[in-house]
Each structure stands twice: as C-alpha cells, then as structure tokens.
Amino acid sequence: MNNFTFYSPTEFCFGRGREQEAGELCVKYGARRVMIVYGGGSVVRSGLLDRVKASLDAVSIPYIEMGGVRPNPTDPKVYEGLALARSFKPDFMLAVGGGSVIDTAKTIAAGYHYEGDFWDFFIGKAKVGNCLPVGVVLTIPAAGSEGSGNAVITNEKTLQKLGIRQPMLLRPKFSIMNPELTMTLPEWQTASGISDMMAHILERYLSNTPDVQIGDRMAEGILLAIMEEAPKVIANPNDYEARANIMWCGTIAHNDTCSLGRQEDWNSHAMEHEISAEYDVTHGAGLAVIFPAFLLYMSDVHPHKVAQLAMRVLDVQPNLPSDADIHNPSTWPLDEQKRVAKEGALRLKSWFHDVLHMPVTFAQLGVPNPDLELLNQRLHQNKGAVMPGYFPLDAETTMQIYKLAL
Ligand code: NZQ
Ligand code: ZN
C-alpha cells in the first residue's frame, strides 16, 4: 500500500428532515453572511429552497441567492456568481442541489479571494490558496461532490470540461443528505447518477497497486450494494430505504475511501468529459456508454483486474487449472483472464441497459454520428499524449475505445 494522507472533515447529516438544520450548521461553521446557489428550479418546485431559507431566517443569517446553474455547469455562471459574491461579501457558500450546483458553489468559493481569472485553477496556472467554506444540501446522489475535494466546470468558449482537486480546501464543511429529497428525481437522473457512482468506484478499482485488499473489498461491496438497491429505486422511486442506500453509496464511491494507498485511473471520466463538453449529454449516461467499451478494451490488453471484477461482482465463473490461485487473477492463464474479463464487461453493459435503462452506445445516447477525431484530439490536448493509469492510453488506443462505444 502506498503512503497516503486522508483529510475528510465533512460533517454528513443524513436522514429525514435534516435540511431544517441548514441554518444551525451554517452558524456552527462560522457563517454570518451566506450565498445560496441552486439549479434550474427543482428545489423551488419541491419547496426545499423555502425550507432552507426559513432555517437561515431562524438563526438570523442574511443571505443572497443565485439560481439557474445548469447541468454540466459552465464558466459564465461562475463569473456571475463571483460578481454577486463580491458585492454581497458572503463568508459562506451554501449549495442546494446536485453536482453541478455544488461544483459552481465550490468554484465561486475558490475564486472569491483570487485576483486573477478563476479558470487559471483549472488549467494549472494557479493553485487555490484561500477558499470560502462551502456547505451542501444534496438533492441527487451522483457526482459525489458532497464529499469530494473536486469541482468540474466547462469553459463555454473552448469547450474544455476540466476539474480541480484540492481536498484540503474544497471538501464541504457539512453535507445534508435527506434521501426523501431524491424521490422527485426523474428515472433518467436517478439512473445516470447510479452509473456515475459506479464509475467512480471502478476508476479506483482499476489499479495496478498490489495488495490493497481493503480498497478492493470495499469497492466490490459498494458495487454489490448498488446493484442490489438500484432495481428497487427504479421500480419504486419512493422506496426510502433503497434511496438511502443509493445516496450513501454515492458519497462513499467518491470521497476517496476506496482509493487510499493506491494508483487510480480517471481515463474513462476524461473520455466522457469530452463527450459531455461537446454534446452536453448527462455525465452519468455518457459513462454508461464509455465504461463498458473501456472494460472491453482492457479485457484484451490488461485483463487481470477486470477479470477480478467479473468474478467477484458480476458472477462470472473462471475455469482454472487445479493449482491456480482463484483469488489472484493475474496468476491465471492469460486466455482465461481475458475470457472472464470480457464476459464481465458484457454483463455490466447489459446491466446498464436492462436494469438502469441507460444508453450503452453513442447512438442510444442521442449522438448517432459523433466526431470522434475531434473528441480524441481535445482529449489528448487536455490530458497529454499518453494518459497514465491502469493502462497507458495514447491517441490510437483511446480512438479504439471510442469506436467500441459506437
Ligand atoms: O437544475 P435542477 O432544476 O435542480 O434539476 C437538476 C438537473 O436538471 C435535476 N435534479 C437534481 N436534484 C433533483 C433534480 N430533479 C428533481 N428532483 C431532485 N431532487 O437533476 C439534473 C442534474 O443535476 P446535476 O447537478 O447536473 O447532477 P449531478 O449531481 O449528476 O452533477 C453532474 C455534474 O457533476 C460533475 C459532472 O461532470 C457534471 O458536470 N462531476 C463532478 C464531480 C465532483 N465534483 O467530484 C465528479 C464527477 O465525476 C462529475 O464529473
Ligand atoms: Zn463522475
């Protein structure tokens, strides 16, 4: 296991009615003036925004609000938020919504004290140094931003969708998580969120660092829990227990507990970010298209971890010689690693399609003729000629993966 530092100071307040505590929690973390950020209106329609504002009124905290953050959030909204913040002078950001809202709030928080252009953080020109604290009332389990030290923003002009990762500064102070708030989600958003959280686990699972059993077993356990609970929330959106399980899985999938002490692979995410930047598709749906293609490719060139996933999570049985170590697929005959891995990749693809009703090809995603040359070119402009990870990817290999997703 590699050395690691794990700093995860977020207070998670989970369960029914917890949004009523938003005001008290802001006070607890030092807020005296709050800027609320929200999305396209779901929190207005559900009455959540009014309840959050009432809880701030109850503790006499003045606030200003900015709505209208759209999915795949873009830089103009961040600039708008920064201008509003600089006139109102909040000392605390409160995000009420999903990953897009939280990431916009985090980015405003990061840019508030910075004299240059906040985009500098995203292109590696500057590091976030001083950041307003952020609190969250989560409405969709998906991106995991409620527990992560990340934010992802798209530059509308260059169509670069890039992230920043600074857990020391960007993890929220608190995250309120009431599973009941997720019952109004359309099936598409529920399912896209589930695809995204599964991808977050898999990006951490696909690691070459040996002997991190805790990471593997946690990842496998969370994947199994998601695959057990997902059909329940799809069948009955009001199933509180299933919603609760999915919601907490989404946080643990992305707060780094599964990746501590080992190399990670974020290449599927990078490949998907190019798709959602160019075609504005839902991030999790894009991952349901890319991830099976990525696993299929890996089944051929670097199968051992995919084979382990296939055996332990997707119930594929290996046929092994009697002296083989079933727990260690890298010791299996290579052909059997490949067979098991490939079968697992195909089973996962079917599961996304049949259980989550997710698209699993570009055409099903609503992009029948993707400009793969453009996506691939931007991918390597943003991520370098060779993307390191579970298996190093150059432009030729990423093109093959994109093609497998057609
Ligand atoms: O905007 P409103 O009206 O609120 O509607 C939203 C939006 O249309 C709707 N929604 C959310 N909660 C709802 C609801 N509708 C009904 N009832 C509710 N309770 O759902 C839609 C999607 O919301 P969004 O915030 O975009 O979803 P998500 O949480 O999936 O966030 C996606 C963004 O996060 C980024 C993605 O790339 C994408 O831009 N990511 C952020 C990460 C991070 N910060 O750590 C990591 C992820 O890998 C990801 O890249
Ligand atoms: Zn994601």
Side-chain angles (χ1 to χ4, degrees):
M1 195 181 291
N2 301 335
N3 290 4
F4 65 83
T5 298
F6 184 47
Y7 179 71
S8 179
T10 308
E11 178 173 347
F12 293 101
C13 303
F14 193 97
R16 289 188 168 95
R18 301 299 301 266
E19 64 274 15
Q20 286 159 20
E21 297 167 41
E24 286 164 32
L25 282 159
C26 287
V27 171
K28 179 172 174 180
Y29 288 98
R32 276 163 304 179
R33 289 171 79 75
V34 169
M35 178 163 161
I36 304 173
V37 180
Y38 62 94
S42 71
V43 301
V44 178
R45 291 190 293 279
S46 67
L48 173 63
L49 185 65
D50 281 343
R51 297 205 293 286
V52 168
K53 290 200 277 192
S55 82
L56 289 168
D57 289 335
V59 290
S60 306
I61 293 229
Y63 52 81
I64 193 164
E65 60 190 85
M66 181 183 78
V69 175
R70 41 157 286 193
N72 297 324
T74 53
D75 56 326
K77 203 70 194 173
V78 178
Y79 292 118
E80 180 190 327
L82 281 168
L84 192 62
R86 284 176 183 143
S87 72
F88 179 73
K89 300 195 185 345
D91 54 15
F92 198 92
M93 301 295 299
L94 183 59
V96 185
S100 299
V101 167
I102 303 168
D103 288 1
T104 301
K106 283 179 176 176
T107 307
I108 296 167
Y112 182 69
H113 292 293
Y114 181 61
E115 285 178 4
D117 183 347
F118 85 85
W119 191 246
D120 292 349
F121 302 138
F122 288 78
I123 54 173
K125 228 174 113 182
K127 269 201 150 244
V128 182
N130 188 0
C131 191
L132 289 175
V134 178
V136 169
V137 182
L138 184 67
T139 61
I140 171 171
S145 191
E146 71 280 4
S148 83
N150 306 32
V152 181
I153 297 290
T154 300
N155 183 314
E156 221 168 59
K157 281 206 191 83
T158 62
L159 287 184
Q160 284 172 296
K161 184 174 185 182
L162 298 177
I164 47 174
R165 183 177 196 175
Q166 276 183 258
M168 291 290 178
L169 294 166
L170 291 178
R171 289 201 204 257
K173 296 292 169 207
F174 66 81
S175 285
I176 293 174
M177 300 173 62
N178 174 358
E180 284 176 329
L181 300 178
T182 70
M183 291 176 183
T184 52
L185 280 167
E187 181 186 299
W188 170 261
Q189 291 296 344
T190 297
S192 297
I194 291 169
S195 304
D196 191 17
M197 63 181 78
M198 291 176 77
H200 293 161
I201 300 168
L202 291 170
E203 302 274 26
R204 293 171 161 94
Y205 191 77
L206 295 175
S207 173
N208 295 312
T209 312
D211 302 326
V212 188
Q213 297 300 341
I214 179 165
D216 277 3
R217 291 301 188 180
M218 284 178 76
E220 289 156 3
I222 301 165
L223 286 169
L224 287 167
I226 292 172
M227 293 178 81
E228 204 172 308
E229 299 302 306
K232 299 182 195 167
V233 292
I234 298 296
N236 177 10
N238 295 327
D239 182 335
Y240 179 87
E241 297 304 334
R243 286 280 189 194
N245 275 282
I246 290 291
M247 199 174 202
W248 190 234
C249 284
T251 303
I252 299 298
H254 197 42
N255 83 338
D256 287 337
T257 43
C258 297
S259 49
L260 297 173
R262 63 176 170 184
Q263 171 208 32
E264 302 169 37
D265 182 294
W266 285 92
N267 290 337
S268 300
H269 261 69
M271 292 184 71
E272 191 296 314
H273 282 168
E274 297 306 331
I275 304 172
S276 47
E278 178 63 24
Y279 299 109
D280 203 12
V281 299
T282 307
H283 169 62
L287 285 166
V289 173
I290 283 298
F291 231 104
F294 183 86
L295 292 177
L296 269 177
Y297 185 81
M298 292 307 150
S299 304
D300 217 26
V301 297
H302 196 42
H304 74 282
K305 219 55 202 284
V306 188
Q308 182 176 301
L309 172 81
M311 175 181 63
R312 294 185 184 174
V313 177
L314 297 153
D315 257 347
V316 185
Q317 297 306 317
N319 300 316
L320 298 176
S322 56
D323 59 345
D325 177 2
I326 192 165
H327 299 296
N328 188 357
S330 55
T331 65
W332 303 354
L334 189 58
D335 279 355
E336 188 57 5
Q337 289 183 43
K338 288 185 182 184
R339 185 194 70 79
V340 171
K342 186 172 178 196
E343 175 62 23
L346 292 173
R347 283 191 192 183
L348 187 66
K349 184 174 180 175
S350 302
W351 190 86
F352 279 143
H353 185 265
D354 300 347
V355 176
L356 291 185
H357 312 138
M358 280 277 99
V360 289
T361 63
F362 271 104
Q364 291 172 11
L365 187 62
V367 187
N369 296 305
D371 188 341
L372 297 186
E373 290 292 342
L374 177 76
L375 297 181
N376 206 36
Q377 187 194 340
R378 286 207 189 123
L379 175 70
H380 289 281
Q381 260 164 18
N382 289 326
K383 297 290 168 189
V386 179
M387 297 153 58
Y390 175 65
F391 185 79
L393 302 180
D394 61 15
E396 200 181 307
T397 43
T398 47
M399 182 53 105
Q400 286 186 51
I401 296 172
Y402 276 135
K403 282 184 178 162
L404 282 170
L406 284 172

